[in-house]
Amino acid sequence: MEIRKLIDKLNENKTLGKDEWIYLFGNYTDEDRAYAADTARKLSLEKFENKIFIRGIVEFSNICKNDCLYCGIRRSNSCAQRYRLDEDDIMECCAEGYETGYRTFVLQSGEDGAWGAERLAKLVCRIKESYPDCAVTLSVGELEYDEYKLLRDAGADRYLLRHETANKEHYGKLHPAEMSFEHRMNCLRQLKELGYQTGAGIMVGSPFQTHECLADDMLFFADFKPQMIGIGPFLPHKDTPFRGEPKGSYELTLMLLSLCRIMLPNLLLPATTALGTINPRGREEGVLAGANVVMPNLSPTAVRKKYMLYDNKICTEDSTTECRHCLQARMKSIGYEVSISRGDYSE
Ligand code: 5AD
Ligand code: FES
């Protein structure tokens, strides 16, 4: 079967069978990838025109109780310099972000016990009171249903929790035994049920990932229908057990972005920081492959280098204003415009 026919079939039926996915990942060429990118880009232009949504991320704590084998801020990494911002620090980042034109604030952290759901809920209220025209996205990991509900009731609009892999066996190779695949998947279902615009996602080329794993991810996306999907290449971090593992493939990451756009045309799909790290034109090419979101950093420059999930992360020397202008210019260079709107999911 020709790969192009499979891409057309995906566009028409919005899903493929598992064997078809595996075949596609094993056999596509650069021309097929260009075809997928053209198809995906047309779909995003139809839905979003040439507008790119921006989200400002505040990385407010790198303290984490988890020990994911790939992650630079895992608890066993004693080289990581730990930090935690407080409410006033975070409000200051939002103020700077608002002035710079952000209308979505993403609060991201490790699973930091000192920032319990109640404290975070109060902060969400405070942000929503100060900026009623802004969306708040949370990305603070696995919590209990009641905690997700408390945060939702406090006004949080969206939640990012990458599932990392939809293959249980693979999940077990990326995480210590005390972490549970079922619990993570259950969190995602709860988030969606609570009415969050919900984001799942994966790293491309994480150790032990096979084409079958990626097929499982695509089947999961087709079934779960997240409003957002975060996809970036795996990049090794020097102080983790995966330090010696190869990077994920840049081209495969772009291909997956295109396939996600084709499968779920309304998706909020970021060209991720990891994509911009593996290739200096990654975010631009991500947009040209179907992405419609970029998520620059609003964290104080003093802590940026400490939120190192992988080596050589970009933008750690730059300020909020610098990143804002840099991205504006990058998007303009490919004929796109940064949108000053909340950029909510819509059908
Ligand atoms: N390389 C690429 N992405 C990573 N993440 C964590 N560690 C790495 C790494 N070494 C991603 C995970 C996580 C998100 C916040 O960052 O997918 O969910
Ligand atoms: Fe941060 Fe370009 S986006 S420096």
Side-chain angles (χ1 to χ4, degrees):
M1 175 107 163
E2 262 187 73
I3 300 287
R4 276 183 185 224
K5 292 227 175 84
L6 278 180
I7 294 169
D8 290 339
K9 185 172 173 190
L10 175 66
N11 197 7
E12 212 161 291
N13 302 348
K14 300 304 167 194
T15 187
L16 294 176
K18 183 159 174 172
D19 292 342
E20 292 175 316
W21 281 121
I22 293 174
Y23 179 80
L24 191 157
F25 293 129
N27 295 284
Y28 75 89
T29 62
D30 283 344
E31 289 79 58
D32 297 324
R33 187 162 64 78
Y35 182 70
D38 286 347
T39 309
R41 188 168 62 246
K42 265 185 218 134
L43 289 168
S44 41
L45 285 168
E46 263 170 45
K47 169 83 185 168
F48 306 102
E49 303 177 328
N50 67 337
K51 303 288 184 294
I52 300 299
F53 298 132
I54 50 171
R55 324 297 196 191
I57 310 192
V58 185
E59 299 158 335
F60 67 92
S61 165
N62 71 351
I63 297 171
C64 192
K65 67 168 195 280
N66 287 335
D67 218 15
C68 308
L69 276 79
Y70 45 84
C71 183
I73 63 168
R74 66 201 298 268
R75 67 157 189 266
S76 306
N77 180 10
S78 54
C79 302
Q81 293 178 45
R82 304 291 169 171
Y83 73 91
R84 174 185 294 134
L85 303 185
D86 68 15
E87 284 79 354
D88 291 339
D89 300 328
I90 299 169
M91 291 306 293
E92 214 170 291
C93 296
C94 294
E96 200 183 356
Y98 192 87
E99 277 168 38
T100 331
Y102 291 93
R103 295 296 177 268
T104 293
F105 303 121
V106 182
L107 305 182
Q108 185 174 86
S109 70
E111 293 196 10
D112 177 357
W115 263 103
E118 287 186 17
R119 183 173 171 196
L120 195 55
K122 285 196 192 110
L123 174 67
V124 171
C125 277
R126 194 170 153 194
I127 297 176
K128 294 294 281 195
E129 272 167 24
S130 306
Y131 305 104
D133 55 335
C134 292
V136 171
T137 303
L138 297 175
S139 178
V140 299
E142 295 179 37
L143 299 173
E144 295 308 313
Y145 181 84
D146 294 345
E147 301 177 305
Y148 285 146
K149 182 162 190 326
L150 183 74
L151 291 162
R152 178 81 184 120
D153 292 341
D157 303 277
R158 310 187 189 125
Y159 203 104
L160 305 176
L161 182 73
R162 289 193 182 173
H163 64 292
E164 313 298 356
T165 170
N167 182 292
K168 184 174 151 73
E169 207 186 312
H170 184 215
Y171 187 92
K173 295 179 181 171
L174 300 178
H175 300 95
E178 76 252 16
M179 288 180 71
S180 144
F181 174 71
E182 283 78 15
H183 189 262
R184 198 163 186 90
M185 288 301 202
N186 214 18
C187 286
L188 279 166
R189 283 187 283 270
Q190 293 175 347
L191 288 163
K192 207 153 177 239
E193 188 188 308
L194 284 164
Y196 284 98
Q197 294 168 48
T198 303
I202 59 164
M203 294 173 286
V204 176
S206 58
F208 312 108
Q209 185 180 69
T210 61
H211 291 161
E212 188 187 357
C213 297
L214 290 174
D216 289 337
D217 290 318
M218 295 311 281
L219 292 172
F220 168 69
F221 291 143
D223 173 59
F224 183 72
K225 298 188 173 58
Q227 284 88 15
M228 306 174 279
I229 295 183
I231 298 183
F234 163 75
L235 297 166
H237 185 292
K238 62 180 178 20
D239 302 314
T240 65
F242 290 160
R243 63 180 64 83
E245 299 291 331
K247 292 176 188 172
S249 155
Y250 175 58
E251 290 77 15
L252 178 55
T253 306
L254 293 172
M255 182 64 169
L256 282 163
L257 288 176
S258 299
L259 295 170
C260 285
R261 168 64 64 210
I262 296 168
M263 187 163 77
L264 298 162
N266 303 326
L267 202 59
L268 299 168
L269 186 66
T272 55
T273 306
L275 190 64
T277 299
I278 199 172
N279 186 299
R281 276 187 37 89
R283 287 168 299 174
E284 292 90 319
E285 294 198 35
V287 166
L288 295 172
N292 70 324
V293 173
V294 283
M295 304 175 69
N297 210 305
L298 296 182
S299 310
T301 314
V303 303
R304 285 190 185 199
K305 271 203 175 353
K306 298 179 184 166
Y307 204 85
M308 277 290 177
L309 306 182
Y310 43 80
D311 292 336
N312 306 315
K313 189 176 161 207
I314 52 169
C315 297
T316 56
E317 307 262 6
D318 305 278
S319 69
T320 292
T321 334
E322 281 165 338
C323 286
R324 177 68 176 77
H325 292 123
C326 171
L327 272 174
Q328 178 122 346
R330 284 172 185 271
M331 293 303 117
K332 196 167 168 220
S333 77
I334 53 167
Y336 285 75
E337 265 173 40
V338 168
S339 161
I340 311 282
S341 74
R342 277 177 47 132
D344 284 297
Y345 180 82
S346 76
E347 286 289 340

